[in-house]
């Protein structure tokens, strides 16, 4: 495809569009932003594939050292699984990383490659986070297809979306690595999802009860069919079926969620941190929402858990360890 | 050539008829035409603009003296349909732009149309008044009340002719039913109901009831983060009042039968063409999004418009369209720039002619295209002030893709992407078309020999 722009420019342009749509007259256009998010996803996949190919090459050089470690380590698996990996990202099309839709994902080689990349990414995350006590989050499993209404067009046609998390040193606290805040314009409920943890958007508060819990549990899969929003004292909803009056998925073994001050969408102030990687005006629309391609394949015995997806601006991509705080406007 | 039946053979020549709108530069945004629609007889032509106004043109009676000239369209009524609003709860401004106008079939002397902006649908009654009562007993000539004690005689008021006055009154307001932006309205063939569609839901209304509507399609996922597609257009079948279609941003069309269930989330038919993997690009999802869907007059076919093509589908074949027409394929290599300047998000509409033999859609540089389904011929015409002499024949235009540019051709890089024709309309039975070019409305007719 002839394109004068590279993936990074496309990503910046797309983010700029999403950002400017917030101030557009008439409100945020859902359709346009959905389309922009597709471009974002495609560009990001291309960028990631190139990055990971580079990482893989680096990883290959360190194979010798890691052979000493216990076999259950993830990257160990990667080292021995190397043969399946292409020599470079260019070997498979830039958009084949789950971007080609379900058809390509059903092919075992593509899925295998995807799994390889996932392992690579996990390794990179671990390298980034080794200084934190907080273990690398494994993301959360997307709600199974049964959770959606059976006739919804989404389950069978969800785009293959490779999600990656970019946790990084955070100014706010160890646990606030990456977040997505969602305002549902229908029910006026604000939800924050962070690497598989569900809690109110209260991470900005230093005395958030969640912060004191220590190492949170692993990724939490919400119960099938339940809404991942909860807000005590629910205001009236437009739809009867979206009654989120009580707490939603209380994940087994997870930390109890104390209701915190609900952050109003309008009150959200961009973080004033001087951290260059903190792109406060970033808007990630549906960044963490698309169900991972692999999680939609019921016949896959090994399902690497999809990662929490975040979208980053140019600087974030450059560092790959950027902390992002995003607002999903729908 | 049979009058009234359109076939785009070499005999058909399109001529300029009229243009409405101002010529001056620096168009105010409010004047940009956002929808065009003929009524069922073709006697009336309605336009809506970004400023929330509706202008209705009426075709003048053809006089016996001027057989060579068909009736012209003159302004019949102008009214402010929608005003800008502010939703205080969500801190959102609601645009007054008229997204769609749909006429109701005429059942009495008055005309009825539906007009909608992003959130509210209104039913307008347009009626004529050419008589006025005179001779009130309790009021004087100027309308002031008379002192009853001064009244000594009684008379019966009589109706006297007056200058024709056309008044538009809002008869119904259908509000507060859509969380997302309304993109379509469609009147049902039962003339009692209509539907309104936004990005995620479709509601069914009865014309008489404004405080209630039935939700018949809801594609909002339980978790909004799993949203993958939105509804882009919807239309009722022209004859079967239980059937409708809606298109999606993923390039698919669903046909639903309201008899099957109250909530039509399960489609009866699903139209999708498999994607050509060799055409895959960053922008594949954008250009496959359907911007308009229209049933043929016969009800047998549907036509869809995406960014680069128009497709005709047979209702009986779901796996691929029966015809695909390239509107401006030379833009395929320019998608990057079109994405940067937002043109890739332009929503072009498409229309059938009265006999379903020719389809028409717009493009850039004020070009519009017609495709004859029988002869497979196509033509590109331009709506411009330069070609605006009365009855001037429109010369076909051609875009040069590469290599040597011939004298009359225009190169792709010279196209003016700010001049786009998104909205067109075709008279229901004659070869008269209305083309909206930004703030101007062009009316073209075929040459009467």
């Amino acid at each position: 495809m002839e394109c004068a722009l590279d993936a990074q420019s496309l990503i910046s342009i797309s983010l700029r569009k999403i950002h400017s749509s917030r101030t557009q007259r008439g409100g945020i256009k859902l359709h346009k932003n959905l389309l922009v998010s597709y471009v974002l996803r495609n560009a990001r996949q291309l960028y990631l594939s190139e990055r990971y190919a580079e990482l893989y090459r680096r990883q290959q050089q360190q194979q010798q050292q890691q052979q000493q470690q216990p076999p259950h380590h993830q990257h160990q698996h990667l080292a021995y699984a190397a043969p399946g990996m292409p020599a470079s990202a260019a070997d498979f099309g830039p958009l084949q990383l789950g971007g080609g839709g379900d058809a390509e994902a059903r092919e075992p080689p593509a899925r295998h490659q995807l799994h390889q990349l996932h392992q690579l990414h996990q390794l990179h995350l671990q390298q980034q986070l080794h200084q934190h006590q907080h273990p690398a989050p494994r993301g959360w499993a997307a709600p199974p297809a049964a959770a959606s209404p059976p006739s919804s067009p989404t389950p069978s046609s969800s785009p293959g979306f490779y999600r990656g998390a970019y946790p990084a040193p955070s100014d706010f606290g160890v646990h606030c690595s990456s977040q997505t805040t969602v305002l549902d314009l229908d029910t006026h409920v604000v939800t924050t999802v962070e690497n598989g943890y569900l809690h109110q958007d209260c991470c900005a508060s230093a005395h958030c009860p969640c912060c004191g819990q220590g190492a949170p549990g692993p990724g939490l899969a919400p119960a099938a069919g339940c809404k991942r929003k909860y807000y005590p004292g629910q205001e009236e909803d437009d739809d009867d079926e979206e009654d989120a009056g009580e707490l939603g998925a209380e994940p087994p073994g997870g930390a109890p969620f104390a209701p915190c001050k609900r952050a109003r969408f309008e009150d959200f102030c961009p973080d004033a941190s001087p951290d260059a990687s903190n792109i406060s005006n970033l808007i990630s629309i549906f960044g963490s929402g698309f169900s991972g391609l692999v999680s939609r394949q019921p016949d896959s015995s090994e399902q690497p858990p999809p990662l929490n997806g975040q979208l980053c601006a140019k600087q974030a991509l450059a560092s790959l360890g950027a902390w992002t705080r995003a607002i999903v406007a729908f | 050539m049979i009058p009234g039946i359109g076939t785009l053979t070499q005999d058909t020549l399109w001529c300029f008829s009229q243009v409405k709108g101002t010529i001056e530069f620096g168009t105010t945004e409010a004047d940009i035409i956002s929808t065009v629609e003929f009524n069922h007889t073709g006697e009336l032509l309605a336009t809506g603009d970004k400023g929330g106004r509706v202008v209705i043109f009426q075709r003048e009676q053809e006089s016996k003296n001027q057989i060579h000239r068909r009736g012209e369209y003159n302004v019949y009524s102008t009214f402010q349909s929608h005003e800008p609003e502010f939703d205080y709860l969500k801190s959102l401004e609601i645009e007054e732009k008229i997204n769609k106008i749909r006429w109701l079939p005429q059942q009495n002397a008055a005309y009825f149309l539906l007009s909608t902006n992003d959130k509210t649908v209104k039913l307008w009654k347009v009626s004529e008044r050419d008589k006025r009562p005179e001779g009130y007993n309790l009021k004087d000539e100027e309308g002031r009340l008379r002192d009853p004690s001064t009244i000594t005689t009684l008379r019966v008021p009589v109706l006297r002719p007056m200058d024709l006055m056309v008044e538009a009154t809002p008869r119904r307001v259908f509000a507060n039913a859509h969380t997302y932006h309304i993109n379509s309205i469609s009147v049902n063939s039962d003339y009692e109901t209509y539907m309104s569609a936004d990005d995620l839901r479709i509601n069914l209304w009865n014309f008489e009831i404004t405080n209630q509507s039935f939700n018949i399609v809801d594609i909002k996922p339980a978790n909004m983060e799993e949203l993958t597609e939105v509804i882009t257009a919807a239309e009722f079948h022209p004859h079967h009042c239980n059937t409708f279609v809606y298109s999606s941003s993923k390039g698919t069309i669903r046909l639903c039968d309201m008899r099957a269930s109250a909530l039509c989330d399960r489609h009866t038919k699903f139209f999708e063409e498999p994607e050509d993997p060799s055409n895959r690009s960053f922008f594949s999802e954008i250009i496959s999004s359907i911007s308009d869907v229209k049933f043929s007059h016969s009800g047998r076919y549907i036509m869809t418009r995406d960014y680069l093509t128009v497709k005709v589908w047979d209702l009986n074949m779901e796996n691929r369209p029966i015809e695909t027409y390239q509107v401006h394929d030379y833009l395929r290599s320019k998608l990057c720039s079109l994405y940067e300047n937002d043109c890739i998000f332009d929503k072009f509409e498409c229309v059938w002619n009265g006999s379903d033999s020719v389809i028409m859609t717009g493009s850039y540089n004020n070009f519009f295209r017609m495709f004859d389904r029988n002869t497979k011929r196509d033509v590109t015409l331009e709506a411009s002030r330069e070609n605006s002499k009365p009855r001037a024949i429109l010369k076909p235009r051609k875009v040069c893709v590469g290599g040597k540019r011939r004298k009359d051709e225009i190169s792709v890089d010279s196209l003016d992407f700010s001049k786009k024709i998104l909205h067109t309309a075709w008279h229901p039975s004659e070869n008269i078309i209305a083309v909206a070019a930004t703030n101007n409305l062009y009316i073209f007719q075929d040459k009467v020999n």
Side-chain angles (χ1 to χ4, degrees), chain B residues 347-362:
Chain B
K347 295 190 183 155
F348 293 94
E349 293 173 5
C350 52
V351 289
W352 298 87
N353 74 336
S355 60
D356 298 336
S357 58
V358 184
I359 57 182
M360 173 170 67
T361 188

Side-chain angles (χ1 to χ4, degrees), chain A residues 3 17 38 157 186 239 289, chain B residues 179 201 225 228 250 336 342:
Chain A
C3 185
K17 284 190 196 295
Y38 274 110
S157 54
D186 247 346
D239 306 21
Chain B
T179 305
R201 300 191 177 101
E225 294 182 344
T228 57
K250 276 196 166 174
C336 247
D342 270 1

Side-chain angles (χ1 to χ4, degrees), chain A residues 275-290:
Chain A
D275 185 357
S277 62
N278 173 20
I279 317 298
S280 60
N281 57 355
L282 253 186
I283 298 175
S284 161
I285 297 217
F286 312 111
S288 59
F290 293 136

Side-chain angles (χ1 to χ4, degrees), chain A residues 1-3 5 10 13-14 17 25-32 34-36 38-39 41-43 46 95 99 143 147-148 151 153-154 157-159 180 182 184-186 188 227-228 238-239 241-242 266 286 288-291 296 330, chain B residues 50 84 89-96 118 179-181 199-201 218-232 246 249-250 254 265-266 275 280-286 289-290 333 336 339-342 345 347:
Chain A
M1 191 209 68
E2 308 168 28
C3 185
L5 302 173
L10 261 184
I13 293 173
S14 305
K17 284 190 196 295
R25 228 185 135 226
I28 298 165
K29 305 265 187 295
L30 180 61
H31 183 202
K32 181 177 176 186
L34 178 64
L35 296 177
V36 171
Y38 274 110
V39 175
R41 178 198 67 154
N42 293 337
L46 170 62
L95 301 178
S148 316
S151 51
T154 51
S157 54
S158 61
T180 309
V182 184
D184 189 320
L185 285 178
D186 247 346
H188 315 304
K227 310 289 183 291
R228 286 195 299 109
D238 288 343
D239 306 21
E241 67 267 24
E242 289 179 312
E266 301 86 270
F286 312 111
S288 59
F290 293 136
S291 310
R296 289 290 189 212
F330 296 104
Chain B
K50 277 197 170 181
L89 184 66
K90 297 172 188 168
S91 293
L92 292 176
E93 191 181 2
I94 301 169
E95 273 190 288
E96 67 277 26
D118 283 339
T179 305
Y180 303 96
H181 295 106
D199 291 320
L200 296 179
R201 300 191 177 101
D218 188 343
I219 64 167
K220 185 179 179 190
N223 176 5
M224 268 301 272
E225 294 182 344
E226 289 172 13
L227 182 73
T228 57
E229 64 180 331
V230 297
I231 297 170
T232 52
Y246 69 91
S249 56
K250 276 196 166 174
R254 287 170 178 80
D265 280 356
R266 267 186 253 269
E275 187 193 354
R280 184 112 186 95
S281 75
F282 286 119
F283 311 106
S284 293
E285 287 85 2
I286 302 187
S289 174
I290 292 176
S333 55
C336 247
Y339 178 69
E340 278 187 277
N341 63 16
D342 270 1
F345 300 105
K347 295 190 183 155

Side-chain angles (χ1 to χ4, degrees), chain B residues 123-379:
Chain B
L123 176 69
W124 286 89
K125 175 180 175 184
V126 182
S127 51
E128 295 180 2
R129 190 196 292 263
D130 61 355
K131 295 183 186 53
R132 123 178 110 227
E134 280 179 16
Y136 282 104
N137 293 293
L138 297 175
K139 289 192 284 189
D140 64 14
E141 301 295 316
E142 279 85 38
R144 287 182 299 231
L145 289 174
R146 288 166 69 183
D147 183 0
S149 57
T150 63
I151 299 173
T152 53
T153 61
L154 285 179
R155 54 187 175 163
V156 176
V158 291
L159 292 172
R160 296 217 187 282
M162 59 178 260
D163 292 336
L164 177 66
M165 190 171 75
V166 180
E167 49 187 15
T169 47
R171 301 297 291 171
R172 306 270 188 274
V173 177
F174 306 92
N176 301 320
H178 287 279
T179 305
Y180 303 96
H181 295 106
I182 297 175
N183 51 55
S184 312
I185 46 175
S186 179
V187 179
N188 204 349
S189 51
D190 62 9
Y191 304 154
E192 286 186 3
T193 56
Y194 76 93
M195 70 168 159
S196 55
D198 67 27
D199 291 320
L200 296 179
R201 300 191 177 101
I202 302 181
N203 294 330
L204 181 72
W205 301 84
N206 183 301
F207 281 110
E208 301 301 319
I209 302 169
T210 58
N211 59 358
Q212 221 180 20
S213 71
F214 288 103
N215 176 246
I216 52 177
V217 172
D218 188 343
I219 64 167
K220 185 179 179 190
N223 176 5
M224 268 301 272
E225 294 182 344
E226 289 172 13
L227 182 73
T228 57
E229 64 180 331
V230 297
I231 297 170
T232 52
E235 197 182 43
F236 269 117
H237 191 282
H239 312 308
H240 305 310
C241 57
N242 56 290
T243 305
F244 65 93
V245 294
Y246 69 91
S247 59
S248 83
S249 56
K250 276 196 166 174
T252 64
I253 308 104
R254 287 170 178 80
L255 183 135
C256 299
D257 187 335
M258 293 196 288
R259 298 171 302 188
S261 72
L263 189 61
C264 296
D265 280 356
R266 267 186 253 269
H267 50 261
T268 303
K269 294 198 185 198
F270 182 70
F271 299 86
E272 184 180 32
E273 183 177 28
E275 187 193 354
D276 180 5
S278 64
N279 275 338
R280 184 112 186 95
S281 75
F282 286 119
F283 311 106
S284 293
E285 287 85 2
I286 302 187
I287 63 171
S288 64
S289 174
I290 292 176
S291 51
D292 194 17
V293 67
K294 290 267 172 44
F295 270 103
S296 65
H297 292 93
S298 61
R300 169 105 190 261
Y301 305 102
I302 45 177
M303 167 169 55
T304 58
R305 174 75 154 97
D306 51 55
Y307 191 64
L308 297 177
T309 70
V310 189
K311 294 176 181 166
V312 178
W313 305 74
D314 187 318
L315 282 188
N316 299 315
M317 188 162 76
E318 299 171 50
N319 58 349
R320 59 179 175 81
I322 55 170
E323 296 154 30
T324 300
Y325 301 95
Q326 302 294 331
V327 181
H328 37 217
D329 201 57
Y330 45 78
L331 296 182
R332 198 178 285 273
S333 55
K334 309 268 176 225
L335 293 180
C336 247
S337 346
L338 294 168
Y339 178 69
E340 278 187 277
N341 63 16
D342 270 1
C343 281
I344 205 174
F345 300 105
D346 287 334
K347 295 190 183 155
F348 293 94
E349 293 173 5
C350 52
V351 289
W352 298 87
N353 74 336
S355 60
D356 298 336
S357 58
V358 184
I359 57 182
M360 173 170 67
T361 188
S363 179
Y364 293 103
N365 209 71
N366 277 355
F367 287 170
F368 56 100
R369 305 258 285 137
M370 289 184 190
F371 302 92
D372 189 319
R373 299 178 58 219
N374 300 324
T375 65
K376 300 303 178 201
R377 277 194 237 268
D378 63 85
V379 69

Side-chain angles (χ1 to χ4, degrees), chain B residues 12-29:
Chain B
T12 306
L13 297 168
W14 288 94
C15 309
F16 171 82
S17 173
Q18 297 169 272
V19 61
K20 311 282 187 193
T22 55
I23 313 174
E24 63 211 36
F25 300 107
T27 320
T28 51
E29 191 162 322

